[in-house]
């Protein structure tokens, strides 16, 4: 038994040693850049610690085939399985070395990890080679061959030899090996037994970009970026018309008669607080047509702010909402911006813009920020402080997914009191996310469908109301603009179809002490979406919003009214004339309130918008 398990463990250690060595070489090669960035030795060493789980995951992926080979070698004692394992391992070793050294070569030029986008350039290898200095090229080639020889020797001596010497174990031992090992590999691949599988976000830990790059396993990163690109590049159905025509239609949508805005602020540089309520659907809100009593505290808060009654989420995931709000970038089908760290630098950042204006920035979440690669996106945006589940006290109210809203708000009350002014703070709640294990009473009894969800929203509303009462006593409240909205919608008691605008509608309430009195207790009915928040806030601060092409100013009276949302294989489109949800892959109208002759016009709007948006994303 020991021999069988030990040979696989040796192979696992081999790959872990390989990954650690490549990281050390990368850090040594860029010693000067690291020193100039200001990162100290302790911070550099942390990159090895934060890289560990991602390295474990990749090593376990690489051991799936060796597990099969070793199992057959154990059963048959045939040497062919050891040879197959050797051939496989040397092939993977060669590929991994090319990836690792390739990343060393491109980082200085691109300031990013090796991704599928970089592989595209290999279609013209002559140009790639010509762009590298001859001395560097020779150095990289020598480094590959030297390491191939070194690691090949280590593998032959300490792994392959042991596989070839395997004896035939007792049947019970073989059964145990075959049953237990896949479970261990699966746990390793997931990065543990937690609720959320590992992503590259797990390795992001530092304010120094180069250390985050070093901590992300290069083989893992390239493999998964390639999978993502394969998915999106294969979607030729997002091409509907000549590109010039599509761009002309989209340009007209964003043209305004006057570049102006209605000022709603009492001051030029208020604090800004964004509260993102997990999964709140529009029909939780009485003023949006929901049942009375589901979110009574929100209803009370409406008297103090501006309620938007035709506001929609462009996506259906939290990470899509963050990209829409912080970058003004609408959700796209098939994939999400946060899954493509190599594209972050091509997308504008409201957070970075506010930091340049002297804002202190922070983000609060009671759960795991690695979900959906959120951490990497937030780190890249440059938040001064990120607070997640590891920063909460152990005695705080916690559920299966993370710390509940009451704990989140208590944490915010303490931490925000010490923040410099002006500040930009965002928080994402989680208690209204399944499994709905929030503490306290569940008073909503007269709803059968989605009752647990609705009760979780009632709890979240209660916590929100208590938090708002508390912050009104804070010295910074009178100079703070607060946006309360949902990250996306959810199936609720009305059971709207997920492709309908009834489903996609979410609340947006603009309130806080910085809001002018004449706007309190008012509503605005213009059709808009969450990516419009970016341009709106930037314009209120008197800053240029030209970088946020896909965002509209909600307080410009001349802004055209429309909203878009993505479907995996289509889109939703709405303006003052009506709405349309359309499936592209299996061409069909999913829902509409338009007359028949209007359907094609709306379809063209949605198709042009999606073609330009998706094409721009691919070009980043």
């Amino acid at each position: 038994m020991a021999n069988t398990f030990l040979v696989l463990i040796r192979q696992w250690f081999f790959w872990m040693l390989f990954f650690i060595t490549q990281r050390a070489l990368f850090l040594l090669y860029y010693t000067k850049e690291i020193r100039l960035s200001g990162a100290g030795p302790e911070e550099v060493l942390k990159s090895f610690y934060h890289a560990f789980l991602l390295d474990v995951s990749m090593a376990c992926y690489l051991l799936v085939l060796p597990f099969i080979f070793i199992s057959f070698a154990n059963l048959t004692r045939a040497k062919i399985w050891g040879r197959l394992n050797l051939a496989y391992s040397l092939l993977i070793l060669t590929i991994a070395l090319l990836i690792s050294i390739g990343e060393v070569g491109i980082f200085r030029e691109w300031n990013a990890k090796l991704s599928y986008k970089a592989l595209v350039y290999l279609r013209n290898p002559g140009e790639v080679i010509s762009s590298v200095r001859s001395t560097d090229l020779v150095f990289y080639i020598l480094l590959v061959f030297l390491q191939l020889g070194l690691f090949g020797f280590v593998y032959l001596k300490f792994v392959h030899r042991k596989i070839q010497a395997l004896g035939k174990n007792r049947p019970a031992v073989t059964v145990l090996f075959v049953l237990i090992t896949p479970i261990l590999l699966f746990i390793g691949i997931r990065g543990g037994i937690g609720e959320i599988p590992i992503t590259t976000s797990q390795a992001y830990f530092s304010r120094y970009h180069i250390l985050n790059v070093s901590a992300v396993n290069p083989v893992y990163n390239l493999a998964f970026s390639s999978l993502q690109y394969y998915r999106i590049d294969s979607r030729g159905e997002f091409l509907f018309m000549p590109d010039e025509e599509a761009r002309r239609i989209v340009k007209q949508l964003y043209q305004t008669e006057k570049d102006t805005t209605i000022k709603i602020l009492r001051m030029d540089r208020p604090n800004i607080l964004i509260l993102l309520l997990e999964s709140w659907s529009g029909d939780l809100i009485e003023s949006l047509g929901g049942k009375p009593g589901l979110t009574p505290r929100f209803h009370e808060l409406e008297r103090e702010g501006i309620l938007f009654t035709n506001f929609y989420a462009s996506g259906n995931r939290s990470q899509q909402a963050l990209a829409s709000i912080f970058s003004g970038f609408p959700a796209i089908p098939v994939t999400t911006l946060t899954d493509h760290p190599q594209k972050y630098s091509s997308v504008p950042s409201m957070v970075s813009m506010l930091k340049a204006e002297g804002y202190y920035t922070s983000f609060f979440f009671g759960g795991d920020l690695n979900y959906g690669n959120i951490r990497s996106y937030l780190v890249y945006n440059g938040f001064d402080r990120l607070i997640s589940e590891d920063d909460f006290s152990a005695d705080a109210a916690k559920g299966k997914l993370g710390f509940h809203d009451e704990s989140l708000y208590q944490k915010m009350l303490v931490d925000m009191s010490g923040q410099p002014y002006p500040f930009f703070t965002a928080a994402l709640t989680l208690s209204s996310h399944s499994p709905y294990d929030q503490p306290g009473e569940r008073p909503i009894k007269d709803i059968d469908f989605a009752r647990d969800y609705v009760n979780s929203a009632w709890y979240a509303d209660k916590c929100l109301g208590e938090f708002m009462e508390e912050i009104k006593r804070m010295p910074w409240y009178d100079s703070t603009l607060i946006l309360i909205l949902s990250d996306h919608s959810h199936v609720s008691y009305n059971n709207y179809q997920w492709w309908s605008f009834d489903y996609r509608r979410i609340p947006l309430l603009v309130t806080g002490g910085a809001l002018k009195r004449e706007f309190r207790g008012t509503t605005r009915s213009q059709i808009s979406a969450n990516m419009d928040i970016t341009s709106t806030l930037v314009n209120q601060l008197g800053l240029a919003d030209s970088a946020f092409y896909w965002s509209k100013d909600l307080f410009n009276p001349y802004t055209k009214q429309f909203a878009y949302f993505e479907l995996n294989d289509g889109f939703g489109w709405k303006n003052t004339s009506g709405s349309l949800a359309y499936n592209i892959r299996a061409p069909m109208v999913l829902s509409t309130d338009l007359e028949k002759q209007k359907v094609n016009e709306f379809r063209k709007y949605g198709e042009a918008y999606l073609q330009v948006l998706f094409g721009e994303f691919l070009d980043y």
Side-chain angles (χ1 to χ4, degrees):
M1 178 178 179
N3 283 344
T4 309
F5 278 103
L6 280 175
V7 291
L8 197 63
I9 291 171
R10 280 172 176 264
Q11 199 157 346
W12 180 83
F13 271 111
F14 170 83
W15 287 116
M16 292 298 291
L17 175 65
F18 173 81
F19 294 139
I20 291 169
T21 304
Q22 302 316 302
R23 184 164 299 107
L25 285 171
F26 180 93
L27 293 169
L28 283 170
Y29 190 81
Y30 287 103
T31 300
K32 182 180 178 182
E33 285 78 1
I34 293 169
R35 188 170 61 250
L36 289 173
S37 73
E42 185 179 348
E43 188 86 345
V44 173
L45 289 174
K46 284 182 181 179
S47 66
F48 291 91
Y49 170 78
H50 287 277
F52 180 75
L53 285 180
L54 212 56
D55 287 351
V56 168
S57 178
M58 193 65 240
C60 289
Y61 270 114
L62 297 179
L63 289 182
V64 172
L65 272 180
F67 158 69
I68 295 171
F69 295 147
I70 292 170
S71 296
F72 278 106
N74 179 49
L75 285 167
T76 65
R77 286 186 289 183
K79 302 297 184 184
I80 183 64
W81 301 110
R83 296 190 187 105
L84 284 173
N85 197 359
L86 175 62
Y88 163 81
S89 299
L90 291 180
L91 174 63
I92 297 299
L93 175 62
T94 304
I95 294 171
L97 276 170
L98 290 171
I99 293 170
S100 300
I101 303 306
E103 188 164 285
V104 171
I106 72 159
F107 180 79
R108 182 171 283 119
E109 186 68 27
W110 289 2
N111 201 33
K113 293 191 72 64
L114 185 65
S115 65
Y116 179 83
K117 184 177 181 181
L119 294 186
V120 173
Y121 290 95
L122 294 180
R123 294 171 185 168
N124 301 297
E127 293 181 17
V128 174
I129 293 171
S130 297
S131 66
V132 182
R133 289 187 306 179
S134 299
T135 52
D136 287 342
L137 185 60
V138 171
F139 173 75
Y140 298 144
I141 293 171
L142 284 175
L143 202 53
V144 168
F145 279 104
L146 283 172
Q147 289 198 88
L148 189 59
L150 174 63
F151 281 102
F153 171 79
V154 172
Y155 183 86
L156 285 167
K157 185 171 178 62
F158 295 100
V159 181
H160 179 66
R161 253 186 177 177
K162 299 295 180 182
I163 295 174
Q164 294 298 75
L166 267 178
K168 189 173 182 180
N169 290 124
R170 295 190 303 274
V173 173
T174 301
V175 169
L176 280 176
F177 178 76
V178 171
L179 292 177
I180 293 173
T181 305
I183 296 172
L184 295 176
L185 290 177
F186 178 73
I187 293 172
I189 285 169
R190 287 189 85 256
I193 58 174
E195 288 289 309
I196 300 170
I198 196 170
T199 68
T200 53
S201 272
Q202 184 75 39
Y204 278 72
F205 73 101
S206 176
R207 59 195 177 98
Y208 303 109
H209 174 60
I210 191 170
L211 298 186
N212 291 324
V213 167
S214 74
V216 175
N217 185 289
V219 183
Y220 187 103
N221 182 75
L222 181 60
F224 279 86
S225 76
S226 298
L227 287 173
Q228 288 288 342
Y229 268 95
Y230 174 78
R231 291 181 67 207
I232 61 177
D233 275 344
S234 65
R235 296 301 180 106
E237 59 263 48
F238 297 140
L239 295 172
F240 312 100
M241 62 191 77
D243 211 43
E244 286 183 5
E245 182 181 2
R247 290 186 179 279
R248 177 180 55 78
I249 292 171
V250 172
K251 185 178 180 180
Q252 289 173 350
L253 289 169
Y254 283 94
Q255 281 180 337
T256 56
E257 291 180 36
K258 293 182 181 179
D259 183 15
T260 185
T261 192
I262 299 169
K263 288 292 185 181
I264 64 169
L265 297 174
R266 295 172 46 242
M267 59 208 64
D268 293 332
R269 286 291 184 272
N271 304 308
I272 300 171
L273 173 61
I274 296 179
L275 300 177
L276 276 173
L277 309 175
E278 172 66 49
S279 303
W280 274 40
S281 60
D283 60 359
L284 293 173
I285 310 302
E286 182 178 343
S287 300
L288 301 183
K291 288 179 177 288
L294 301 184
T295 52
R297 306 302 292 272
F298 186 94
H299 190 57
E300 292 172 8
L301 291 170
E302 292 169 24
R303 296 198 297 265
E304 304 168 13
I306 307 169
L307 178 67
F308 287 77
T309 59
N310 273 299
F311 190 75
Y312 301 91
S314 67
N316 209 31
R317 294 288 182 270
S318 299
Q319 59 267 42
Q320 292 175 311
L322 296 179
S324 293
I325 294 168
F326 297 151
S327 296
F329 192 77
I332 55 174
V334 184
T335 188
T336 63
L337 175 65
T338 59
D339 280 329
H340 302 270
Q342 71 277 7
K343 293 180 180 287
Y344 295 168
S345 60
S346 300
V347 179
S349 168
M350 179 175 65
V351 181
S352 298
M353 181 180 286
L354 293 180
K355 280 171 66 71
E357 293 296 317
Y359 276 79
Y360 177 86
T361 58
S362 58
F363 187 93
F364 290 80
F365 181 51
D368 186 353
L369 283 175
N370 292 311
Y371 174 78
N373 240 24
I374 289 174
R375 181 183 298 277
S376 66
Y377 175 72
L378 297 178
V379 168
Y380 191 88
N381 272 261
F383 277 93
D384 293 306
R385 186 153 186 245
L386 295 178
I387 297 90
S388 61
E389 60 182 356
D390 294 335
D391 301 300
F392 286 72
S393 61
D395 59 347
K398 187 180 183 182
K400 192 175 182 182
L401 197 63
F403 288 90
H404 283 299
D405 291 5
E406 59 187 84
S407 302
L408 174 72
Y409 290 133
Q410 284 300 318
K411 178 71 173 172
M412 292 176 67
L413 286 170
V414 173
D415 286 26
M416 289 179 68
S417 63
Q419 289 188 164
Y421 304 146
F423 61 72
F424 174 81
T425 293
L428 174 61
T429 69
L430 59 69
S431 292
S432 41
H433 192 293
S434 60
Y436 315 122
D437 55 355
Q438 72 278 0
E441 60 179 318
R442 299 175 183 233
I444 311 299
K445 310 289 186 184
D446 59 343
I447 289 176
D448 292 325
F449 188 77
R451 183 189 297 168
D452 288 341
Y453 161 71
V454 173
N455 273 286
S456 74
W458 183 90
Y459 164 80
D461 177 73
K462 175 175 174 288
C463 295
L464 171 66
E466 292 170 353
F467 174 70
M468 292 296 291
E469 286 179 8
E470 289 290 332
I471 65 172
K472 286 175 185 176
R473 304 187 185 100
M474 297 292 174
W476 46 261
Y477 178 79
D478 285 340
S479 56
T480 301
L481 182 70
I482 303 171
L483 280 69
I484 307 172
L485 69 153
S486 177
D487 56 349
H488 54 78
S489 190
H490 192 275
V491 175
S492 190
Y493 59 92
N494 281 316
N495 197 23
Y496 292 128
Q497 297 289 354
W498 70 282
W499 56 74
S500 71
F501 275 90
D502 288 327
Y503 176 94
R504 299 287 175 146
R505 185 161 65 163
I506 58 174
L508 168 61
L509 180 65
V510 180
T511 184
L515 184 67
K516 289 180 179 177
R517 290 190 177 276
E518 60 263 34
F519 292 103
R520 298 177 187 180
T522 63
T523 60
R524 294 183 72 85
S525 61
Q526 73 257 46
I527 299 165
S528 50
N530 54 2
M531 60 274 194
D532 297 329
I533 288 174
T534 321
S535 184
T536 302
L537 284 176
V538 168
N539 276 320
Q540 286 297 314
L541 298 177
L543 304 174
D545 70 339
S546 56
F548 304 101
Y549 179 83
W550 298 98
S551 184
K552 310 189 302 292
D553 184 355
L554 295 175
F555 293 105
N556 183 340
Y558 300 96
T559 295
K560 293 183 176 67
Q561 296 190 45
F562 66 86
Y564 147 92
F565 64 74
E566 64 85 21
L567 299 168
N568 284 337
D569 297 297
F571 60 85
W573 190 264
K574 182 174 185 175
N575 64 23
T576 53
S577 300
S579 63
L580 170 73
Y582 189 77
N583 187 306
I584 295 164
R585 197 171 196 185
M588 62 181 295
V589 174
L590 297 170
S591 65
T592 188
D593 55 5
L594 299 166
E595 296 179 1
K596 191 173 182 180
Q597 62 270 24
K598 276 277 189 180
V599 169
N600 285 338
E601 176 189 334
F602 266 57
R603 199 178 95 185
K604 195 160 189 176
Y605 280 132
E607 287 175 343
Y609 190 92
L610 184 53
Q611 177 174 324
V612 177
L613 174 65
F614 203 77
E616 185 173 296
F617 173 79
L618 289 176
D619 290 340
Y620 284 157

